[in-house]
Amino acid sequence: MIYDVIIIGAGAAGLFAAASACPSRNGFPIRGLILEKSPSPGKKLLMAGSGQCNLTHSGDIKAFVSCYGDSGPKIRSILYRFNNLAVRDFFERLGVPLAEREDGKVFPASLCGRDVLDALLRAASDNGFTLQCSSPVTDIAADGSIDAAGLFTVTAAGKTHRARMLVVATGGCSYPTTGSDGSMFPLLEKLGHTIVQPKPALVPLFVENYPYTSLAGVAFKHVRITIDSHGCLGPRESPGPLLLTHENFSGPAVLDLSRYARIGAELLVDYLPGVRLEDLARELRQAAIGSKKQIATVIAELPAVRAACGTDGEPALPKRFLEAVTSRAGAGCAGGASFAGDVQASRLPGSMLKAIAEILKKDRFTISGDGGFKIAMATAGGVLLDEISTRTLESKIVRHLFIIGEALDVDGNTGGYNLQFAFSTGHLAAESFCRQNPLPV
C-alpha cells in the first residue's frame, strides 16, 4: 500500500495532526499511518500538567508570542492561525469539556489526560489513520526532493512503508523514556536539515554553593529571576513563582528561563521585585533601632515586605527563609559569625542589615548545571526554523516533508504553551497535507 501520509510520532503534535485531517477528498478516504516508537501512544501527553494535561492558556493569543523566547516572533503566524480559542473549541467538539483555572491554565474538566488522549485517538481513527506502536523508525529515504514529487520509504521495526507525504512529530529529547529521545534528528540531518543543538528546557537549575538545602519545599509566589551570561544578548528576566528544592532552584520563574542557562552564567534572584533596594535597606535599618523583636519578625513586618504579600495574606517571605538569609548575611559580614533568625534586631550591626537587604534584592549565584533531559519538560533546539515554511510547515529542503511540534527549534514557557504549539503546528500540517494530497489513481 502507498499511504497518503505517514505521521512519525503518536504524541500531542502527531495525534493532533491526524485528528485534524480531512477524512476524505472528493469521496475518497484518506490512507494514513501513525508510527509510534513506544508500546503505547501519548506517553508524554499523559504526563503533562502532572497527569491533568494543561492543554493551553487563556488570554489574547498576541501575548503568547513572548512566551517562546527568541522563536516567538517567527511562529506568530502559526499561533494566530490556530489559536488557543480554536484549541478549546476543537476539544469541546470532540466531547472533552474544559475548565480554566484562576491562573489562566486550561485543563480538561475531568483533570484527566487520558480523556484528551482517547479523544485524539478516536478522531485520528475516524479520519482514516491506523496506529502502529512499537515501531521505531530507523531510516527515511526520499525518492524525491524539493524539485520533484516522489515517495518516502520509511523503515520501522524491520518493515518498510511508502507514502506520498511524511510528517515528523517525534518531539525533542526531554523525558527520553517516553520515546522522545532525539533519535530522529540524525535521520533529518541525513535528509539535509540543520539541527540546532538540543538542550534541556523547562528544567530546574543547579548553582554553586546552593544555600537552601534545608528549605526544600519553601515557595515564593512572585520573584524575579535574571540570568546573565554577559553575552551580546544581555540579561534575560522572568517573573513568577519560585520553588526551593533540596538541591536546586525550580518553579516557573526558573523553568521559563532555563533555555538561556549556561554553566558559569550568573543567576540573580530578586525576592521582592516591587521594592527598591534603597527603600528596603532604609526601612530595615530604622525598624531595627532599639527593637527587641527577632530579626526575622522585623523583616516580615517591614511595610515594603508586607506590601508584597498576596491578597490571601500569606507572607511574601517565609520565616524559615528569613532565618537562613540572616545566617548567610552574618557569615559574610560579621567576621564569619553565625547569627540565627531569632537574634534581636537591635543587636545586628549596620553592615549586616545592609547585607540582608542585598540578599533579598540581589541574591547572586553561579549556574553549575541543570537537571538534564530526564526531568526537563521541554527541549530547546531541534530543526532550524529557517528551513521550514511557517505558512505550511513543509520543509524547504525536502518536498512533502512536514516537521511539527517539539521537533522544531521552538520551546515555550510552562503553563500550556508547549502543547498549544504542538496543536497549532499539528493542525496547520494537516491543512497542508490534505490540500496537497492528490486524488488516488
Side-chain angles (χ1 to χ4, degrees), residues 282-297:
R282 184 185 67 256
E283 286 185 9
L284 181 56
R285 185 171 59 252
Q286 292 175 347
I289 297 174
S291 176
K292 296 183 179 180
K293 293 182 179 180
Q294 298 175 358
I295 182 59
T297 301

Side-chain angles (χ1 to χ4, degrees), residues 114-434:
R114 173 60 63 178
D115 292 344
V116 174
L117 176 59
D118 289 345
L120 291 176
L121 290 172
R122 286 194 301 270
S125 177
D126 291 344
N127 288 345
F129 282 84
T130 301
L131 172 65
Q132 290 187 12
C133 293
S134 300
S135 297
V137 172
T138 54
D139 189 47
I140 300 172
D143 297 327
S145 67
I146 192 70
D147 300 317
L151 295 176
F152 292 95
T153 300
V154 180
T155 303
K159 298 180 181 179
T160 58
H161 309 275
R162 305 191 80 194
R164 295 185 176 93
M165 289 170 286
L166 185 65
V167 178
V168 172
T170 48
C173 303
S174 58
Y175 295 141
T177 56
T178 65
S180 175
D181 59 3
S183 59
M184 183 56 56
F185 291 142
L187 298 183
L188 292 173
E189 281 186 309
K190 177 184 172 183
L191 293 176
H193 274 286
T194 303
I195 306 300
V196 178
Q197 181 63 42
K199 70 179 296 288
L202 294 186
V203 65
L205 296 178
F206 291 84
V207 297
E208 296 178 6
N209 303 313
Y210 179 70
Y212 298 129
T213 298
S214 63
L215 301 182
V218 169
F220 305 83
K221 288 191 174 182
H222 188 72
V223 304
R224 179 179 290 114
I225 303 294
T226 302
I227 290 180
D228 191 357
S229 58
H230 304 289
C232 60
L233 295 178
R236 305 294 185 126
E237 293 187 352
S238 174
L242 171 69
L243 174 67
L244 306 181
T245 78
H246 72 284
E247 57 183 358
N248 56 37
F249 289 111
S250 189
V254 168
L255 300 178
D256 290 346
L257 274 191
S258 61
R259 62 170 71 96
Y260 303 116
R262 300 290 185 275
I263 293 177
E266 181 182 72
L267 184 149
L268 186 148
V269 187
D270 180 356
Y271 301 99
L272 295 168
V275 180
R276 296 198 321 155
L277 173 59
E278 296 80 4
D279 295 337
L280 179 65
R282 184 185 67 256
E283 286 185 9
L284 181 56
R285 185 171 59 252
Q286 292 175 347
I289 297 174
S291 176
K292 296 183 179 180
K293 293 182 179 180
Q294 298 175 358
I295 182 59
T297 301
V298 169
I299 298 171
E301 292 179 349
L302 293 177
V305 175
R306 291 177 64 86
C309 295
T311 56
D312 54 11
E314 291 186 12
L317 303 176
K319 184 178 180 180
R320 290 171 56 204
F321 167 74
L322 292 175
E323 291 173 348
V325 167
T326 300
S327 180
R328 288 178 60 200
C333 299
S338 177
F339 285 82
D342 59 357
V343 67
Q344 288 184 2
S346 59
R347 293 181 52 200
L348 300 182
S351 60
M352 185 172 166
L353 295 174
K354 179 181 178 182
I356 291 173
E358 289 180 344
I359 290 176
L360 295 178
K361 289 295 297 177
K362 299 178 180 179
D363 205 0
R364 300 179 185 274
F365 302 93
T366 300
I367 296 174
S368 60
D370 57 47
F373 284 120
K374 288 185 178 180
I375 63 173
M377 290 184 278
T379 300
V383 175
L384 186 67
L385 270 177
D386 290 344
E387 297 175 353
I388 304 296
S389 167
T390 54
R391 292 185 298 105
T392 64
L393 293 173
E394 185 175 11
S395 165
K396 298 177 182 178
I397 310 296
V398 181
R399 190 178 181 187
H400 292 162
L401 170 65
F402 303 86
I403 304 174
I404 63 177
E406 200 178 351
L408 295 170
D409 180 23
V410 177
D411 61 287
N413 291 352
T414 183
Y417 298 100
N418 286 291
L419 278 183
Q420 174 66 51
F421 183 68
F423 299 148
S424 293
T425 54
H427 192 272
L428 178 54
E431 282 187 342
S432 301
F433 68 65
C434 285

Side-chain angles (χ1 to χ4, degrees), residues 18-25 27-31 123 125-129 434:
S20 301
C22 48
S24 65
R25 184 176 179 188
F28 291 95
I30 194 169
R31 293 170 296 191
S125 177
D126 291 344
N127 288 345
F129 282 84
C434 285

